[in-house]
Amino acid sequence: CTDEVVPPPTPSTGDLIEFQNLCGIIRNISGPFAECFFYVNPGSYYDACVYDLAYYGLANGMLCKAIESYEQICNVHGIIIPAWKPTSYCPLTDPCDNITCASNEWCVGIGRAHFS
């Protein structure tokens, strides 16, 4: 085993611009998260979002989970973020929350596995 951090694959310039645009909602000064900037700097959350998309791609709800992580820390500081999920093509609820799985089944919802 090693503790070496594996750099993400280098995305094409077009993909990188797309990832930056998609994650840009986190640090948009007129966006839904602007009120939170005073409490939590969005820079590292934006960087992590771009990194995750470069490493994992858009599959498995990576974008939604990355943005949700910033929303959660904003909520800890008492900031309620206005609706942002529809504009980022993220579902309002995790589809796995409404599914009961047998012990041999699983659901992959928005970036997580759900086991019963």
Side-chain angles (χ1 to χ4, degrees):
C1 291
T2 178
D3 291 333
E4 181 181 339
V5 174
V6 177
T10 304
S12 70
T13 302
D15 285 345
L16 182 59
I17 291 170
E18 178 185 10
F19 300 157
Q20 291 169 337
N21 288 335
L22 290 169
C23 296
I25 189 172
I26 293 172
R27 63 179 195 177
N28 182 339
I29 60 172
S30 60
F33 296 95
E35 186 180 347
C36 189
F37 295 175
F38 178 76
Y39 300 94
V40 182
N41 185 323
S44 61
Y45 290 86
Y46 169 82
D47 291 343
C49 179
V50 173
Y51 177 93
D52 287 348
L53 293 183
Y55 194 80
Y56 299 105
L58 291 168
N60 295 324
M62 292 308 300
L63 173 65
C64 301
K65 282 300 181 189
I67 298 171
E68 284 175 354
S69 69
Y70 190 58
E71 179 182 34
Q72 289 172 351
I73 195 67
C74 293
N75 291 166
V76 166
H77 289 279
I79 306 300
I80 304 303
I81 304 301
W84 60 269
K85 290 182 178 183
T87 60
S88 294
Y89 306 103
C90 296
L92 296 177
T93 59
D94 187 332
C96 288
D97 288 345
N98 297 321
I99 296 174
T100 303
C101 299
S103 61
N104 63 335
E105 299 175 316
W106 57 280
C107 171
V108 177
I110 307 306
R112 69 175 176 88
H114 173 80
F115 299 93
S116 63

